[in-house]
Amino acid sequence: MPEKTATRPLSFTVGVVILLLIFLATFFFVPGWNVNPEGLGQKKIVVHRGDGLRRIVRSIRKTGGARYETPLLVTAYLFPGLRNIKPGRYTIPPGHSNYSLLAYLHGHPQDEERITIPEGLRKERVAAIVSSRLDIDSLSFMRAATDSALLSSLDLQANGIEGYLFPGTYNFAWASTPEEVITFLVGRYRTFLTDSLRALARKQGLNEHDMLTLASIVEAETPLDGEKPLIAGVYLNRLKKNMRLQADPTVQYALGGANPRRLLYKDLAIDSPYNTYRHGGLPPGPIGSPGALAILAVLKPEKTSYLYFVADGKGGHRFARTISEHASNVRQYRHARREAEEKARRAVSPGQ
């Protein structure tokens, strides 16, 4: 009899322990009872910079990713290694337990955005594109763009990042910081500009900053890749002859504004170091970020005797060696522009 009495408490204790283990296993490791309880497929959550654990768990519940917040909080406190969840936008697949969900958020790469930075954009336009796709606002991007410590770490001159945000299509983590985006884009430019290309710049008599400045003007002058080496050749000819560049895009840059407009004669008198109608040589810095082809055009320009060019009204340019030839091309351009404006007017008002 005494032996049977001693066995019962032992069996009871073992049973309680087994039940407790089952409960704990269910609580922490069994999917479905708390996390994504409806089994409705993937859930998306956003973790902003500065979000604490409670805010993150609340976001999971509000998006339908969990029935209760407490089980996730308890799991996080008992497994402190899972508390560190990086800012980001995450897509959570179904089938998670409390533990595996936190482990997933802790270790899984966040969602990325594929972003295209077109050639020739000013830093303000780059900021607008980046802020429209990532967890970044334009003001914070622009503040980072003038941060002296960041500029110094990137070995950039005092006038900032203008021109160094290398165009292209890239994947960025959604929660990237402005500093990370800027550092990456400048890094892509540094990678592109190899030692052999730097040597070509020196051969043209240009340091890296001046080369990039001229390339940004070439980029702004023409959308035609085939014209870029010829336009670069014209500008290099003018620099060698100490002629003012008289580049309209530099005046556009001096005027500011997001969208360049047609220049007026009065605009050419604007008092700015970027006005190459008033000041000789290159402006103080780039007027946008040139792409690879514009940079290569300056490094490998077309050898030409042309000193002038003007738009031909069809997207390209007419080139001239003398001022009289240039004047004739200007007259042709103005005539073509008047014809185009008249044609557009007739299309809008056919009865007039």
Side-chain angles (χ1 to χ4, degrees), residues 219-238:
E219 186 72 75
E221 282 285 12
T222 179
L224 303 179
D225 293 337
E227 268 194 350
K228 288 180 170 65
L230 184 53
I231 287 180
V234 172
Y235 279 135
L236 287 167
N237 286 345
R238 293 180 72 90

Side-chain angles (χ1 to χ4, degrees), residues 79-135:
F79 299 93
L82 304 181
R83 297 179 198 172
N84 183 22
I85 298 173
K86 296 178 181 179
R89 191 173 56 189
Y90 298 90
T91 301
I92 305 171
H96 278 295
S97 65
N98 290 314
Y99 179 90
S100 67
L101 173 58
L102 294 177
Y104 178 88
L105 294 175
H106 172 73
H108 192 77
Q110 58 178 275
D111 288 355
E112 294 185 335
E113 285 285 335
R114 191 163 180 81
I115 299 178
T116 296
I117 309 294
E119 292 84 354
L121 295 190
R122 303 177 189 178
K123 58 183 182 294
E124 292 86 357
R125 288 289 299 122
V126 176
I129 291 174
V130 168
S131 64
S132 71
R133 303 288 298 280
L134 304 180
D135 191 26

Side-chain angles (χ1 to χ4, degrees), residues 176-229:
S176 298
T177 65
E179 292 79 7
E180 288 170 342
V181 173
I182 290 171
T183 299
F184 175 83
L185 293 176
V186 174
R188 296 303 300 169
Y189 162 73
R190 300 286 192 204
T191 300
F192 167 78
L193 197 69
T194 61
D195 289 342
S196 60
L197 293 182
R198 293 174 192 274
L200 288 176
R202 291 192 294 271
K203 188 176 180 180
Q204 295 293 346
L206 301 170
N207 60 36
E208 179 185 339
H209 190 70
D210 289 345
M211 177 278 297
L212 196 62
T213 299
L214 182 54
S216 72
I217 298 173
V218 172
E219 186 72 75
E221 282 285 12
T222 179
L224 303 179
D225 293 337
E227 268 194 350
K228 288 180 170 65

Side-chain angles (χ1 to χ4, degrees), residues 8-48:
R8 287 177 183 173
L10 180 60
S11 300
F12 177 78
T13 302
V14 171
V16 170
V17 170
I18 291 174
L19 289 175
L20 180 60
L21 291 174
I22 293 173
F23 170 77
L24 292 175
T26 301
F27 188 90
F28 293 117
F29 304 113
V30 173
W33 78 268
N34 182 53
V35 174
N36 196 9
E38 306 299 328
L40 298 179
Q42 294 183 339
K43 304 292 183 182
K44 292 183 180 292
I45 69 162
V46 171
V47 178
H48 295 284

Side-chain angles (χ1 to χ4, degrees), residues 127-166:
I129 291 174
V130 168
S131 64
S132 71
R133 303 288 298 280
L134 304 180
D135 191 26
I136 293 173
D137 64 82
S138 295
L139 290 178
S140 65
F141 188 96
M142 293 304 296
R143 282 195 297 268
T146 56
D147 180 72
S148 58
L150 178 61
L151 297 180
S152 177
S153 71
L154 296 174
D155 193 27
L156 295 180
Q157 298 186 18
N159 61 343
I161 62 168
E162 190 76 277
Y164 290 85
L165 302 174
F166 199 57

Side-chain angles (χ1 to χ4, degrees), residues 329-342:
N329 289 339
V330 170
R331 288 192 295 271
Q332 292 183 62
Y333 164 68
R334 290 173 177 169
H335 177 72
R337 191 179 70 189
R338 285 194 298 269
E339 284 190 334
E341 290 172 348
E342 178 63 21

